[in-house]
Amino acid sequence: MKNKGDWMLLVAAMIGGGGFISARYLLDWGYNPYQIMLGRFIIATLCLSLVYYKNYPNITKKEWRMGGILGVLLAATFLLLTMGLQYTTPSVNAFLCNTQGVIVPFICWLAFHQKPMTSCFFAAFLTLVGVALLSVTKDFSISIGAILSLGASVAFSLQMAFMGKAVEACDCVNIALVEHITVAVISCFIVAFTGIHMPPFSGLAVRSFLFLGVFCTAVYFILQSIGQKYTSANKTAIIITSESIFAAILSVLIYGERMGWRGILGCGIIFIAMVLVEKPIGKVVDSTEKIG
């Protein structure tokens, strides 16, 4: 099928956008961020293990070590993302959490001395403007939800940047399997430490957990890893970036969110910034594909 990679990535972006809505509903129903992350990654790890179970005997000590380190960063990403979602709307959370396209080139500059393209500096300025429109209140303070959401983007940017170095000597799928296991284990410890009590499970809650774990994490990973084989890294970056757009649309249609002119303008400016860094982030994605 022509452009099947593009279509698979577009479906992944649509599913990923829906994940923000499911997570927000679970928060509304009384589940805390640790419990949501635990349910999500236990389900996702089981699903990925069913597909890639033959990889486990071949995972090296180096892949366990590197995957474990990257898994800690991934756990921080999803923990901050879900905590940020407690204090902001799904669309704002999605756009703020997806600014890693702008952040990664600067992390690579600091860590690996890879100077960003000129467009990255303009994109960074646009991102700051968009973030201000989305998160700065009338009294010129920034909301805790925006800070946590941006923290998630920084954590994921670190994960992406260092993944680029890790996969040079490791198998991408093996790294991703170890990452997911690491997040599931970390989630177990956090939930056990903070209290195991959970709200009563309802049919809607079970479906939301299954959607997050099976589709937004496991299926998302598979679609992205296969889709990237049939399209360019640059195109992959921009298609996956559209996840924020789908999150905003679904938030309005399903969750009932109402965005004012500042929200719409801020989201639009951030999306333009992400498009501007398509090429530099494409280079990173090319070496970090199959990260889940």
Side-chain angles (χ1 to χ4, degrees):
M1 184 175 111
K2 186 178 180 181
N3 299 326
K4 66 178 179 180
D6 294 359
W7 284 106
M8 294 179 79
L9 291 168
L10 187 62
V11 171
M14 293 175 66
I15 292 172
F20 290 90
I21 314 303
S22 293
R24 179 65 208 215
Y25 273 125
L26 287 170
L27 289 168
D28 291 343
W29 295 332
Y31 297 92
N32 65 42
Y34 323 120
Q35 295 165 342
I36 294 172
M37 190 168 72
L38 173 62
R40 176 176 193 159
F41 276 90
I42 284 181
I43 294 170
T45 301
L46 290 173
C47 291
L48 290 176
S49 297
L50 289 174
V51 177
Y52 297 109
Y53 66 93
K54 292 182 179 179
N55 286 61
Y56 280 108
N58 302 319
I59 299 178
T60 65
K61 290 182 178 179
K62 184 175 183 179
E63 288 169 343
W64 279 107
R65 184 175 66 255
M66 295 302 299
I69 294 171
L70 292 168
V72 171
L73 290 172
L74 194 64
T77 298
F78 279 92
L79 183 59
L80 289 168
L81 182 154
T82 312
M83 291 174 66
L85 191 56
Q86 286 182 300
Y87 305 103
T88 188
T89 62
S91 64
V92 172
N93 182 252
F95 274 93
L96 294 180
C97 289
N98 276 283
T99 55
Q100 66 269 8
V102 178
I103 299 172
V104 168
F106 291 97
I107 291 178
C108 290
W109 188 15
L110 292 173
F112 310 123
H113 308 292
Q114 301 170 1
K115 189 174 180 179
M117 296 176 64
T118 305
S119 60
C120 291
F121 293 94
F122 183 53
F125 171 74
L126 287 179
T127 301
L128 288 175
V129 174
V131 169
L133 287 168
L134 285 176
S135 56
V136 175
T137 61
K138 293 180 179 179
D139 59 355
F140 295 99
S141 62
I142 188 168
S143 69
I144 183 64
I147 293 173
L148 292 169
S149 299
L150 287 170
S153 186
V154 172
F156 191 48
S157 297
L158 288 168
Q159 192 264 5
M160 289 181 69
F162 288 102
M163 171 71 86
K165 294 296 180 181
V167 297
E168 291 177 0
C170 301
D171 181 86
C172 298
V173 173
N174 291 350
I175 287 286
L177 288 171
V178 176
E179 277 188 294
H180 282 71
I181 292 172
T182 302
V183 179
V185 171
I186 290 173
S187 303
C188 283
F189 278 107
I190 295 176
V191 170
F193 182 78
T194 58
I196 302 177
H197 173 74
M198 285 192 178
F201 280 105
S202 64
L204 288 173
V206 171
R207 286 196 288 272
S208 293
F209 272 114
L210 288 174
F211 182 72
L212 278 176
V214 176
F215 292 98
C216 298
T217 312
V219 172
Y220 183 97
F221 164 81
I222 294 171
L223 286 172
Q224 183 180 0
S225 61
I226 296 175
Q228 285 179 297
K229 294 180 181 180
Y230 299 99
T231 191
S232 68
N234 291 345
K235 190 180 287 187
T236 295
I238 196 61
I239 292 174
I240 291 299
T241 295
S242 68
E243 176 181 304
S244 303
I245 301 293
F246 287 116
I249 293 172
L250 292 172
S251 182
V252 171
L253 294 178
I254 298 175
Y255 191 70
E257 179 182 349
R258 293 293 178 264
M259 297 179 66
W261 70 268
R262 281 184 49 169
I264 295 172
L265 183 59
C267 290
I269 290 175
I270 290 176
F271 185 74
I272 291 171
M274 290 188 283
V275 172
L276 282 176
V277 293
E278 174 186 352
K279 289 185 178 180
I281 189 62
K283 293 177 182 177
V284 176
V285 172
D286 190 41
S287 62
T288 59
E289 55 189 15
K290 305 185 187 76
I291 62 172

